[in-house]
Amino acid sequence: MHFYWTSTVFALIAFGVLYFLLSKYAFGPLMSIMEKRRVHIQDQLAGAEESKKQAEQLLEEQKAAIQQARKEAYEIIEQSKLTSSKQAEDIVSAAKVEADRLKAEAQKDIENEKNKAIAELKTQVGQWSVAIAKEILGKEIDASAQQAIVSQFLQESGGKAKQ
Amino acid sequence: MHQLPIVEWLGMKFDLSSIIMIVVTLIIVLLIAMLATRKLSVTNPSKLQNFVEWIVDFVRNLIASTMDMKRGSKFVMLGITLIMFIFVANMLGLPFAIVTEHTEPMQSISVTQESIEDAKEKGYAGAHVLWWKSPTADVSVTMGLAIMVIFLAHYLGLARNTKHYLHHYIEPHPAFFPLNVIKEVSKLLTLGLRLFGNIYAGEVLIGVILLAGVFGILPLIAWQGFSIFVGAIQAFVFTILTMVYISQNIEHKH
């Protein structure tokens, strides 16, 4: 084992040259690339964080909107339930009223018809009785006077019949 | 066992094998780094790019474990260069060695008649000159790296942290000054010699196992594997100790 200082000096020079070349042409650019990547990743992370926040906010908004919609739907259903039951009642009561009215009208009609029929019958009976009386008596009497007598008679008998 | 190809030039002795191997290490490290960083991409890194990025992260974590990263980021490049250079250097000596045998004296690489006689006495045909080895199996190289690191650490301490740096020599009492100086000198020696010792011993043992011939195949495989582990550990240890020494000298607290 000998010590040659020339080797020492050469090693130092070689090391210096290697250091210079490596830092200038190899690891300098490499480290700048690594730094760029670090910045890139940080940007991406920040972007992802931002997107996440936005997504969360949107989700929150969506949730609120759904809640709102649900509430509104519930209200609408309640409203329509109320309205429909009220409408049903209305329809029923209207129908009842209509039915009552129709009934009353019908009764009135019946009454009218009855009265008319009675009146007609009265006239017919009067005429018939005049004709009968004419036949029986063989003589003409004043038709209007006859009518009055018949009416009076019928009135009395009708009154009796009613009683 | 082997002798080194020593060349004399301008009155100075150069160890050709170390110089060649340092250059080879340099070229391999540069090749790896250049190939890995040829097509850099932020979003779609290649496998090699991932690998060198792993090295960068590894060294960053290593520095972060010894000092505040605000100060430490300046030393990332130093750590990367150290760990790659030393790891590649440690690996170079493992797969093979190149040895030339000289029966005639060759003055240009210091193969003398005397050294040939020496080798012949030991039963070899001629003097063996070792060309291919780990550069870190040469104490001159590892001490060079250690001197650089220790010098850097002390310079940074003196320039950036003058008061605390100077004060720590007389801690806890001025009488401890000699001990503190010894401590600093021993840091230099241990840093350089630890690396040299581990790698050199590994190569020597490989040489010894090779003498066993066929019976040496299994132990050789085991020892080669272990040497890869040792080489990686030593590269790691050298780098982390560098950072520890630097941090000791630039930190304010004790």
Side-chain angles (χ1 to χ4, degrees), chain B residues 195-213:
Chain B
L195 179 58
F196 161 70
N198 275 285
I199 306 309
Y200 184 67
E203 295 200 352
V204 167
L205 195 57
I206 287 174
V208 169
I209 293 171
L210 283 176
L211 293 180

Side-chain angles (χ1 to χ4, degrees), chain A residues 12 77 90 108 113 139 146:
Chain A
L12 285 178
I77 288 169
D90 282 357
K108 221 169 87 190
E113 286 298 314
K139 80 178 192 190
Q146 189 66 30

